[in-house]
Amino acid sequence: MTFWNQTKECMSRDEMTFLQGKRLHKLVEYVYHNSGFYRNKLQAAGVLPDDIREIGDIVKLPFTTKQDLRDNYPFGMFSAPMSEMVRIHASSGTTGKPTIVGYTRRDIEMWSEMIARCLTAMGADRNDIFTVAYGYGLFTGGLGMHYGVENLGATVIPMSTGNTEKHIRLIHDCQTTGIACTPSYALYLAETMKKEGIDRSEIHLRIGAFGGEPWTENMRKEIERNLGLDAYNIYGLSEIMGPGVSCECEAKDGSHIWEDHIYPEIIDPETTKRLPNDGTRGELVFTTLTKEGMPLIRYRTHDICSLIDKPCSCGRTAVRMTRILGRSDDMLIIRGINVFPSQVESVILSLKEFEPQYRLVIDRVANLDTMEVQVEVRPEYYSDEMGRMLAIQKKLEEKLKSVISIKAKIRLMEPGSLERSVGKSNRVQDNRKLQ
Amino acid sequence: MIIKQVSVFLENRSGRINEVTKILGANGINMIAFSMAENPDFGILRMIVSDNDKAVEALRAGKFAVSVNDVISLSIPNMPGALSKVMEILAAKGIFIEYMYAFAKGDTGNSAEIVIRPTYVDRCQVVLTENGF
């Protein structure tokens, strides 16, 4: 059994609590003096850096929300000056504006360290060859995993998304041993392999780091059976860092959160009261204890899960989170990409050809998420020409793709066939069975 | 001759065409000709009917998306080469046809009726008139 950073991963609870308290105090002092946003927020809450002495004091601190990130677009959440930033990532925003995250050189090093810990916990080492099939670019998945695999000393093949046939060829010909992608893409890959007549005995995959979307034990079994590897969950979110915030170890019994860097809490999403780490279900909240570029205090993820702080059979003491059981808001995760119904709505409203009513139907077909957008065309835009109707369909499809980065199927509906005046949640029909 | 055509947008669900014909029948409207354009998701039913205004009103009351536009109705001899002659004239003048369909008028069978939907209706009609149609 090997660890990447045994001191931190297996620290006693007392030592960890002490370290976290020290780091939290330092963090609050740092943001108070370097971020106008946090100085105002702390002053409004009547909290000064010296009020934060131990980790338990964290409940005195106000929450940070996605709305704060939107309101302070693009750089208002940064605590480090631009001269210290070495990278920016962005996720698609709900109203067209992306959510920007900035990293200093030390942040990137810390991120790579966390992913190296994850990969080591999965049993990977410098002899492994990984294909990384998360999207490279603004999305944190691709580049984040890439640097992590390099930090581990293993070999990385930067596949990015798409191009499944070439990916399979490289897995086969280069005898790769590791893969990082979304679990649904892993299933799609397995299926395509089968279609191409490649038997799992011909490939050498042994470790899969899967994340970016919620998945189930059944999916794990299916992936492991079809690809002949051990499938591990890796979790993260770009606002906090990206993939590597937590991951499963060989015990596959919850994902270890690297809590010396990222401090987790579970709260009641209604009352925002803190809940115990004893398996009680609630909303996950993170504080980045050591980030410099864009540290966040008590950031509400809206992911629903629970925390367990009992030591794990793998020897790690780092607290574990269960699978994500749902969301406390209306965000959808489609093919690993976060999509808010309001994004789709804003696109529909921006096009004069459509009525404001819409309906989203989400499904999983052949292991790939699909999204159908049902819309009504305004009466004056209905035409006797098929070409014109198809052009209207195409226009929405392309505009949507540019905003949410996902190709949705557009279904034109008859007038009045979509329900009027229903709540946002009723506009979404998610047929995926994940529980 | 330029005439009106009524088009109805239909989702691909069974029974939808029947809904249209039922409404027309109940209102005493006769369908003289029709054609259906379809793709996997939806279809467009185009019709020449006995009473345009009444048809539009009744169909809209039935919550259908209805549009009305001009098309050209042409009577040509029911014999080999007759349609080709018309097409040749239009092609020579660069008249683009979006779609067309044909129907029979019932009685003898000496002539065939065609409906043409060119991109520019007026220009097409001018060309046809100049050529004796």
Side-chain angles (χ1 to χ4, degrees):
Chain A
M1 195 176 304
T2 45
F3 304 95
W4 180 257
N5 187 339
Q6 190 166 5
T7 322
K8 296 287 162 46
E9 293 174 49
C10 305
M11 218 173 228
S12 75
R13 185 53 43 199
D14 285 351
E15 283 176 302
M16 180 60 81
T17 304
F18 179 74
L19 177 70
Q20 287 168 334
K22 224 170 58 181
R23 286 184 168 176
L24 181 67
H25 172 72
K26 212 174 134 195
L27 168 74
V28 175
E29 199 158 51
Y30 173 71
V31 297
Y32 191 83
H33 291 110
N34 292 283
S35 153
F37 166 78
Y38 273 119
R39 187 162 51 250
N40 291 338
K41 206 170 179 84
L42 290 170
Q43 280 172 351
V47 188
L48 291 172
D50 279 349
D51 295 331
I52 307 302
R53 286 287 157 200
E54 51 189 59
I55 194 66
D57 291 333
I58 198 165
V59 295
K60 296 176 186 167
L61 296 167
F63 292 101
T64 307
T65 63
K66 184 118 183 158
Q67 189 61 42
D68 290 326
L69 270 58
R70 272 180 224 137
D71 293 346
N72 292 282
Y73 174 87
F75 300 147
M77 298 299 292
F78 287 9
S79 289
M82 202 44 86
S83 57
E84 293 301 313
M85 295 295 191
V86 296
R87 197 190 301 168
I88 280 173
H89 278 289
S91 62
S92 62
T94 50
T95 49
K97 271 191 210 166
T99 304
I100 299 265
V101 189
Y103 303 75
T104 65
R105 194 174 300 282
R106 243 195 76 203
D107 290 340
I108 299 281
E109 280 167 15
M110 188 261 269
W111 187 8
S112 308
E113 145 102 18
M114 283 169 43
I115 293 180
R117 287 189 198 177
C118 291
L119 295 170
T120 307
M122 297 172 191
D125 61 36
R126 50 189 304 129
N127 297 308
D128 283 298
I129 306 174
F130 270 83
T131 50
V132 172
Y134 289 113
Y136 276 66
L138 285 177
F139 179 49
T140 50
L143 282 169
M145 286 305 295
H146 183 102
Y147 275 64
V149 176
E150 283 192 356
N151 188 34
L152 175 71
T155 309
V156 59
I157 300 178
M159 268 319 299
S160 196
T161 51
N163 215 342
T164 306
E165 272 152 48
K166 185 173 276 177
H167 192 174
I168 291 171
R169 168 164 281 272
L170 289 174
I171 289 173
H172 181 270
D173 296 354
C174 299
Q175 305 197 350
T176 63
T177 52
I179 180 171
C181 62
T182 61
S184 50
Y185 186 71
L187 283 171
Y188 178 71
L189 206 65
E191 195 172 294
T192 312
M193 238 179 238
K194 216 178 269 175
K195 271 188 207 150
E196 292 185 4
I198 297 174
D199 190 74
R200 69 172 246 202
S201 64
E202 297 173 62
I203 58 170
H204 295 71
L205 288 176
R206 64 183 199 96
I207 295 166
F210 302 121
E213 66 188 9
W215 52 310
T216 60
E217 274 310 314
N218 281 337
M219 281 174 81
R220 187 201 314 264
K221 278 185 207 132
E222 206 179 330
I223 294 170
E224 292 187 336
R225 192 174 55 239
N226 289 322
L227 291 177
L229 47 64
D230 275 299
Y232 300 96
N233 184 47
I234 183 161
Y235 169 87
L237 62 166
S238 61
E239 297 93 315
I240 293 301
M241 181 118 266
V245 170
S246 75
C247 83
E248 285 179 330
C249 60
E250 62 212 40
K252 295 178 187 166
D253 185 22
S255 299
H256 290 283
I257 300 171
W258 309 122
E259 56 175 314
D260 52 321
H261 290 297
I262 311 285
Y263 182 75
E265 297 171 82
I266 286 286
I267 63 162
D268 180 327
E270 300 296 325
T271 64
T272 72
K273 249 188 74 181
R274 180 152 187 194
L275 301 171
N277 293 355
D278 60 359
T280 308
R281 194 179 286 190
E283 180 183 332
L284 189 58
V285 169
F286 283 121
T287 300
T288 62
L289 295 175
T290 55
K291 261 177 95 179
E292 298 176 332
M294 198 180 110
L296 296 180
I297 291 174
R298 304 194 85 192
Y299 180 71
R300 294 189 59 172
T301 65
H302 290 284
D303 280 335
I304 301 290
C305 68
S306 59
L307 295 174
I308 303 146
D309 60 10
K310 276 192 293 219
C312 176
S313 62
C314 73
R316 287 174 185 80
T317 52
V319 64
R320 282 169 289 158
M321 57 184 271
T322 59
R323 286 186 183 284
I324 304 298
L325 301 163
R327 297 277 306 171
S328 62
D329 62 6
D330 58 358
M331 188 179 89
L332 300 161
I333 301 177
I334 297 164
R335 279 174 246 157
I337 307 284
N338 300 346
V339 176
F340 287 91
S342 53
Q343 288 175 294
V344 178
E345 182 173 304
S346 70
V347 170
I348 293 169
L349 291 176
S350 74
L351 297 175
K352 58 185 187 315
E353 289 89 347
F354 298 99
E355 297 278 9
Q357 281 74 32
Y358 67 95
R359 187 173 158 82
L360 306 182
V361 181
I362 319 297
D363 215 329
R364 186 162 282 172
V365 180
N367 298 315
L368 273 189
D369 293 338
T370 60
M371 179 164 84
E372 178 177 290
V373 180
Q374 301 180 345
V375 276
E376 290 175 22
V377 175
R378 282 185 197 278
E380 59 269 36
Y381 289 98
Y382 281 104
S383 167
D384 62 310
E385 286 174 60
M386 186 56 86
R388 212 170 278 186
M389 298 306 289
L390 292 174
I392 291 177
Q393 206 174 16
K394 185 99 187 145
K395 188 172 174 183
L396 177 54
E397 183 185 298
E398 280 170 3
K399 184 96 187 273
L400 257 182
K401 173 105 206 287
S402 76
V403 172
I404 61 172
S405 319
I406 283 175
K407 194 174 162 186
K409 175 173 170 49
I410 311 298
R411 187 181 288 272
L412 303 183
M413 307 292 282
E414 287 174 9
S417 57
L418 294 172
E419 237 181 299
R420 263 63 179 166
S421 65
V422 289
K424 233 176 218 173
S425 53
N426 297 339
R427 295 195 184 285
V428 179
Q429 181 185 323
D430 196 336
N431 295 330
R432 293 175 296 187
K433 300 270 180 287
L434 284 175
Q435 298 305 326
Chain B
M1 180 177 44
I2 296 177
I3 59 167
K4 296 284 180 201
Q5 170 189 260
V6 175
S7 305
V8 183
F9 174 89
L10 296 171
E11 282 168 31
N12 275 3
R13 282 190 278 130
S14 57
R16 288 312 278 167
I17 298 176
N18 182 32
E19 288 296 320
V20 173
T21 50
K22 222 158 69 184
I23 289 174
L24 296 179
N27 286 276
I29 300 159
N30 190 27
M31 264 169 108
I32 297 158
F34 70 88
S35 108
M36 183 82 193
E38 48 90 32
N39 74 32
D41 295 332
F42 61 85
I44 304 167
L45 178 65
R46 300 112 170 198
M47 305 172 285
I48 309 297
V49 294
S50 58
D51 187 334
N52 290 316
D53 293 343
K54 209 166 150 191
V56 170
E57 196 186 322
L59 288 168
R60 286 205 174 131
K63 301 273 184 210
F64 280 97
V66 187
S67 62
V68 181
N69 65 291
D70 289 338
V71 290
I72 290 171
S73 164
L74 204 58
S75 184
I76 56 169
N78 189 5
M79 56 183 280
L83 182 59
S84 164
K85 203 173 145 199
V86 179
M87 292 300 111
E88 211 164 295
I89 292 164
L90 296 181
K93 292 286 179 183
I95 303 288
F96 186 80
I97 296 170
E98 301 288 344
Y99 58 84
M100 55 188 272
Y101 49 99
F103 62 98
K105 250 198 184 148
D107 44 16
T108 52
N110 292 334
S111 69
E113 308 294 320
I114 55 173
V115 174
I116 303 175
R117 168 68 159 94
T119 310
Y120 303 106
V121 177
D122 292 337
R123 227 189 114 219
C124 180
Q125 183 58 51
V126 169
V127 169
L128 289 170
T129 312
E130 279 171 357
N131 286 277
F133 283 99

